[in-house]
PDB file of all heavy atoms in Angstrom:
ATOM      1  N   MET A 328      -1.114 247.845  93.584  1.00 97.00           N
ATOM      2  CA  MET A 328      -0.345 247.102  94.579  1.00 97.00           C
ATOM      3  C   MET A 328       1.141 247.407  94.442  1.00 97.00           C
ATOM      4  O   MET A 328       1.846 247.633  95.438  1.00 97.00           O
ATOM      5  CB  MET A 328      -0.602 245.605  94.407  1.00 97.00           C
ATOM      6  CG  MET A 328       0.293 244.712  95.260  1.00 97.00           C
ATOM      7  SD  MET A 328      -0.091 244.746  97.011  1.00 97.00           S
ATOM      8  CE  MET A 328      -1.533 243.677  97.061  1.00 97.00           C
ATOM      9  N   LYS A 329       1.619 247.437  93.215  1.00 98.00           N
ATOM     10  CA  LYS A 329       3.025 247.758  92.966  1.00 98.00           C
ATOM     11  C   LYS A 329       3.373 249.138  93.512  1.00 98.00           C
ATOM     12  O   LYS A 329       4.407 249.324  94.177  1.00 98.00           O
ATOM     13  CB  LYS A 329       3.326 247.698  91.469  1.00 98.00           C
ATOM     14  CG  LYS A 329       4.738 248.113  91.094  1.00 98.00           C
ATOM     15  CD  LYS A 329       4.911 248.178  89.582  1.00 98.00           C
ATOM     16  CE  LYS A 329       6.278 248.711  89.210  1.00 98.00           C
ATOM     17  NZ  LYS A 329       6.442 248.838  87.746  1.00 98.00           N
ATOM     18  N   ASP A 330       2.530 250.116  93.234  1.00 97.00           N
ATOM     19  CA  ASP A 330       2.795 251.485  93.684  1.00 97.00           C
ATOM     20  C   ASP A 330       2.745 251.589  95.206  1.00 97.00           C
ATOM     21  O   ASP A 330       3.561 252.299  95.818  1.00 97.00           O
ATOM     22  CB  ASP A 330       1.773 252.441  93.061  1.00 97.00           C
ATOM     23  CG  ASP A 330       1.937 252.584  91.554  1.00 97.00           C
ATOM     24  OD1 ASP A 330       3.028 252.231  91.044  1.00 97.00           O
ATOM     25  OD2 ASP A 330       0.979 253.028  90.893  1.00 97.00           O
ATOM     26  N   ALA A 331       1.797 250.893  95.819  1.00 97.00           N
ATOM     27  CA  ALA A 331       1.682 250.939  97.280  1.00 97.00           C
ATOM     28  C   ALA A 331       2.907 250.319  97.936  1.00 97.00           C
ATOM     29  O   ALA A 331       3.405 250.825  98.955  1.00 97.00           O
ATOM     30  CB  ALA A 331       0.410 250.213  97.723  1.00 97.00           C
ATOM     31  N   MET A 332       3.400 249.240  97.370  1.00 98.00           N
ATOM     32  CA  MET A 332       4.604 248.609  97.904  1.00 98.00           C
ATOM     33  C   MET A 332       5.828 249.489  97.668  1.00 98.00           C
ATOM     34  O   MET A 332       6.704 249.627  98.535  1.00 98.00           O
ATOM     35  CB  MET A 332       4.801 247.240  97.264  1.00 98.00           C
ATOM     36  CG  MET A 332       3.865 246.164  97.790  1.00 98.00           C
ATOM     37  SD  MET A 332       4.259 245.705  99.486  1.00 98.00           S
ATOM     38  CE  MET A 332       3.019 244.447  99.799  1.00 98.00           C
ATOM     39  N   ALA A 333       5.894 250.114  96.499  1.00 98.00           N
ATOM     40  CA  ALA A 333       7.037 250.975  96.183  1.00 98.00           C
ATOM     41  C   ALA A 333       7.136 252.136  97.170  1.00 98.00           C
ATOM     42  O   ALA A 333       8.234 252.577  97.527  1.00 98.00           O
ATOM     43  CB  ALA A 333       6.921 251.505  94.754  1.00 98.00           C
ATOM     44  N   ALA A 334       6.002 252.637  97.610  1.00 97.00           N
ATOM     45  CA  ALA A 334       5.983 253.734  98.579  1.00 97.00           C
ATOM     46  C   ALA A 334       6.616 253.322  99.903  1.00 97.00           C
ATOM     47  O   ALA A 334       7.053 254.175 100.682  1.00 97.00           O
ATOM     48  CB  ALA A 334       4.555 254.202  98.808  1.00 97.00           C
ATOM     49  N   LYS A 335       6.690 252.016 100.143  1.00 97.00           N
ATOM     50  CA  LYS A 335       7.297 251.483 101.360  1.00 97.00           C
ATOM     51  C   LYS A 335       8.690 250.911 101.099  1.00 97.00           C
ATOM     52  O   LYS A 335       9.249 250.203 101.938  1.00 97.00           O
ATOM     53  CB  LYS A 335       6.390 250.410 101.960  1.00 97.00           C
ATOM     54  CG  LYS A 335       5.022 250.928 102.398  1.00 97.00           C
ATOM     55  CD  LYS A 335       4.179 249.809 102.964  1.00 97.00           C
ATOM     56  CE  LYS A 335       2.805 250.317 103.394  1.00 97.00           C
ATOM     57  NZ  LYS A 335       2.919 251.250 104.538  1.00 97.00           N
ATOM     58  N   GLY A 336       9.234 251.197  99.906  1.00 97.00           N
ATOM     59  CA  GLY A 336      10.564 250.714  99.572  1.00 97.00           C
ATOM     60  C   GLY A 336      10.618 249.248  99.208  1.00 97.00           C
ATOM     61  O   GLY A 336      11.669 248.615  99.336  1.00 97.00           O
ATOM     62  N   ILE A 337       9.510 248.705  98.730  1.00 98.00           N
ATOM     63  CA  ILE A 337       9.432 247.292  98.359  1.00 98.00           C
ATOM     64  C   ILE A 337       9.097 247.194  96.872  1.00 98.00           C
ATOM     65  O   ILE A 337       8.063 247.702  96.434  1.00 98.00           O
ATOM     66  CB  ILE A 337       8.356 246.557  99.184  1.00 98.00           C
ATOM     67  CG1 ILE A 337       8.641 246.713 100.676  1.00 98.00           C
ATOM     68  CG2 ILE A 337       8.294 245.077  98.795  1.00 98.00           C
ATOM     69  CD1 ILE A 337       7.473 246.293 101.559  1.00 98.00           C
ATOM     70  N   GLN A 338       9.945 246.561  96.097  1.00 98.00           N
ATOM     71  CA  GLN A 338       9.737 246.464  94.659  1.00 98.00           C
ATOM     72  C   GLN A 338       9.146 245.104  94.291  1.00 98.00           C
ATOM     73  O   GLN A 338       9.733 244.064  94.577  1.00 98.00           O
ATOM     74  CB  GLN A 338      11.053 246.680  93.910  1.00 98.00           C
ATOM     75  CG  GLN A 338      11.607 248.087  94.029  1.00 98.00           C
ATOM     76  CD  GLN A 338      12.859 248.285  93.188  1.00 98.00           C
ATOM     77  OE1 GLN A 338      13.270 247.417  92.426  1.00 98.00           O
ATOM     78  NE2 GLN A 338      13.488 249.442  93.337  1.00 98.00           N
ATOM     79  N   ILE A 339       7.964 245.126  93.654  1.00 98.00           N
ATOM     80  CA  ILE A 339       7.349 243.923  93.103  1.00 98.00           C
ATOM     81  C   ILE A 339       6.928 244.237  91.675  1.00 98.00           C
ATOM     82  O   ILE A 339       7.079 245.361  91.206  1.00 98.00           O
ATOM     83  CB  ILE A 339       6.135 243.470  93.946  1.00 98.00           C
ATOM     84  CG1 ILE A 339       5.028 244.540  93.921  1.00 98.00           C
ATOM     85  CG2 ILE A 339       6.560 243.168  95.380  1.00 98.00           C
ATOM     86  CD1 ILE A 339       3.735 244.093  94.582  1.00 98.00           C
ATOM     87  N   ARG A 340       6.378 243.263  90.966  1.00 97.00           N
ATOM     88  CA  ARG A 340       5.973 243.489  89.588  1.00 97.00           C
ATOM     89  C   ARG A 340       4.552 244.025  89.509  1.00 97.00           C
ATOM     90  O   ARG A 340       3.708 243.722  90.345  1.00 97.00           O
ATOM     91  CB  ARG A 340       6.070 242.185  88.785  1.00 97.00           C
ATOM     92  CG  ARG A 340       7.486 241.752  88.466  1.00 97.00           C
ATOM     93  CD  ARG A 340       8.194 242.743  87.551  1.00 97.00           C
ATOM     94  NE  ARG A 340       7.527 242.869  86.270  1.00 97.00           N
ATOM     95  CZ  ARG A 340       7.879 242.202  85.175  1.00 97.00           C
ATOM     96  NH1 ARG A 340       8.894 241.362  85.202  1.00 97.00           N
ATOM     97  NH2 ARG A 340       7.226 242.381  84.048  1.00 97.00           N
ATOM     98  N   GLY A 341       4.284 244.788  88.439  1.00 97.00           N
ATOM     99  CA  GLY A 341       2.943 245.261  88.158  1.00 97.00           C
ATOM    100  C   GLY A 341       2.213 244.273  87.262  1.00 97.00           C
ATOM    101  O   GLY A 341       2.592 243.117  87.143  1.00 97.00           O
ATOM    102  N   ALA A 342       1.161 244.756  86.607  1.00 97.00           N
ATOM    103  CA  ALA A 342       0.306 243.885  85.802  1.00 97.00           C
ATOM    104  C   ALA A 342       1.043 243.341  84.584  1.00 97.00           C
ATOM    105  O   ALA A 342       1.872 244.019  83.984  1.00 97.00           O
ATOM    106  CB  ALA A 342      -0.932 244.651  85.359  1.00 97.00           C
ATOM    107  N   TYR A 343       0.712 242.115  84.224  1.00 96.00           N
ATOM    108  CA  TYR A 343       1.179 241.498  82.985  1.00 96.00           C
ATOM    109  C   TYR A 343       0.046 241.598  81.966  1.00 96.00           C
ATOM    110  O   TYR A 343      -0.865 240.768  81.935  1.00 96.00           O
ATOM    111  CB  TYR A 343       1.543 240.025  83.210  1.00 96.00           C
ATOM    112  CG  TYR A 343       2.877 239.798  83.870  1.00 96.00           C
ATOM    113  CD1 TYR A 343       3.034 239.959  85.238  1.00 96.00           C
ATOM    114  CD2 TYR A 343       3.991 239.430  83.121  1.00 96.00           C
ATOM    115  CE1 TYR A 343       4.250 239.759  85.855  1.00 96.00           C
ATOM    116  CE2 TYR A 343       5.218 239.222  83.726  1.00 96.00           C
ATOM    117  CZ  TYR A 343       5.340 239.392  85.094  1.00 96.00           C
ATOM    118  OH  TYR A 343       6.562 239.189  85.702  1.00 96.00           O
TER     119      TYR A 343
END
Side-chain angles (χ1 to χ4, degrees):
M328 172 72 78
K329 176 186 175 183
D330 292 342
M332 285 290 180
K335 297 179 180 294
I337 303 167
Q338 293 184 6
I339 63 173
R340 287 295 298 264
Y343 282 78

